[in-house]
Amino acid sequence: MRLRLTPKEPSFYDLFAKAADNLVVGAALLTELLGTDKSGRVVIAERMRDAEHAGDEVTHAIYRQLNSSFITPFDREDIYQLAGRLDDVMDAMEAAVDLATLYQVESLPPGVADQVDVLVRAADLTAEAMPRLRSMKNLTEYWIEVNRLENQADQVYRKLLAHLFSGEYDAITVMKLREIVENLETAADNFEHVANAIETITVKES
C-alpha cells in the first residue's frame, strides 16, 4: 500500500489547467489562420508566438515548482512528462502557423480545415479534463476520445498527402504544404501523448 504525505502542493493542478487553456487559444488561432490570406497571417503568427511563449512560461513554472517542492501530488517523473507533452502540442501548432506565414503559400488545402477541427476538439477536451486531474475521476472518456481523434487525424493526414502528390501542385509547393500538414499531424499526436500521460497518472494513483 502506497504511503501518502499531506498536504500536497496544489499549484501544479492550476498550472496544468493554465497550460491546457493556452492550447485552446492556440487551436483557435489555427481556425483564424484558415480564413486569412497570406497578407494577414503575420498578425496571427505573432499572436501564436505570444501564446507559445505563454506556454513556455507555464512549463518553466511547473519545473521550478517541481524543483522546489518536497511533496508533489503525484510522481515527479509524471509531472515533468505531462508538462513537456503539453508544451509539445503548442510547439507543433506554432510551427505550423509560422511555416504557413514564412512560406507565403497562396492557400491551404481543404483537408487542413479537417486537421484543425480535430485539434480544436482535442484542445477543448484537454482543457475540460485537466481540472479533473485533481480528483483523478471521470477521465476515462477523455483519453478514449482523444485517442479516437488522433486516429481520425491520421486518416485526414493520409488523405492530405495523397492530395498533395496528386499532381495539382508543383514540387516546391508540395514541400511547403507538406511541412505545414506534418506539424498539424504532430500536434494531434502530441494531444494523444498528453492523454496517455494522464491515463498513466490516473492508473498509478488509483
Side-chain angles (χ1 to χ4, degrees), residues 66-128:
L66 188 59
N67 290 333
S68 63
S69 297
F70 177 69
I71 299 172
T72 57
F74 41 88
D75 287 350
R76 290 175 178 273
E77 180 182 347
D78 292 331
I79 291 173
Y80 186 88
Q81 184 177 72
L82 179 56
R85 289 181 170 180
L86 287 163
D87 191 55
D88 288 343
V89 177
M90 181 58 78
D91 287 346
M93 291 195 294
E94 192 270 336
V97 172
D98 200 35
L99 288 170
T101 304
L102 293 173
Y103 286 160
Q104 297 186 351
V105 293
E106 290 295 332
S107 61
L108 297 169
V112 171
D114 296 328
Q115 284 188 299
V116 171
D117 285 345
V118 169
L119 295 177
V120 167
R121 179 61 180 150
D124 288 342
L125 285 170
T126 303
E128 291 166 5

Side-chain angles (χ1 to χ4, degrees), residues 12-200:
F12 286 109
Y13 298 115
D14 299 330
L15 290 169
F16 282 132
K18 188 174 181 180
D21 288 342
N22 196 46
L23 297 182
V24 175
V25 173
L29 288 171
L30 288 175
T31 301
E32 288 189 42
L33 183 77
L34 296 175
T36 306
D37 60 22
K38 64 180 182 180
S39 64
R41 290 178 192 148
V42 174
V43 174
I44 294 176
E46 290 175 352
R47 291 166 60 198
M48 182 64 93
R49 204 169 295 118
D50 289 342
E52 194 273 333
H53 289 162
D56 284 344
E57 289 177 4
V58 175
T59 303
H60 294 153
I62 292 171
Y63 292 160
R64 287 194 299 270
Q65 185 68 52
L66 188 59
N67 290 333
S68 63
S69 297
F70 177 69
I71 299 172
T72 57
F74 41 88
D75 287 350
R76 290 175 178 273
E77 180 182 347
D78 292 331
I79 291 173
Y80 186 88
Q81 184 177 72
L82 179 56
R85 289 181 170 180
L86 287 163
D87 191 55
D88 288 343
V89 177
M90 181 58 78
D91 287 346
M93 291 195 294
E94 192 270 336
V97 172
D98 200 35
L99 288 170
T101 304
L102 293 173
Y103 286 160
Q104 297 186 351
V105 293
E106 290 295 332
S107 61
L108 297 169
V112 171
D114 296 328
Q115 284 188 299
V116 171
D117 285 345
V118 169
L119 295 177
V120 167
R121 179 61 180 150
D124 288 342
L125 285 170
T126 303
E128 291 166 5
M130 202 59 68
R132 300 199 293 274
L133 192 61
R134 190 184 297 268
S135 65
M136 303 284 180
K137 295 179 180 178
N138 302 317
L139 286 165
T140 304
E141 290 185 4
Y142 152 69
W143 65 65
I144 290 174
E145 179 62 11
V146 171
N147 288 338
R148 187 195 68 79
L149 285 171
E150 196 279 329
N151 290 333
Q152 181 181 331
D154 285 344
Q155 294 175 358
V156 172
Y157 173 65
R158 288 192 290 267
K159 288 179 181 178
L160 263 170
L161 287 184
H163 178 63
L164 291 181
F165 289 101
S166 66
E168 180 177 336
Y169 304 95
D170 62 78
I172 297 299
T173 302
V174 169
M175 291 173 62
K176 292 177 179 180
L177 292 175
R178 184 173 183 176
E179 279 198 66
I180 295 166
V181 302
E182 281 181 345
N183 276 283
L184 293 174
E185 169 65 6
T186 298
D189 290 342
N190 290 339
F191 268 119
E192 185 180 38
H193 295 162
V194 170
N196 291 343
I198 290 178
E199 181 180 7
T200 297

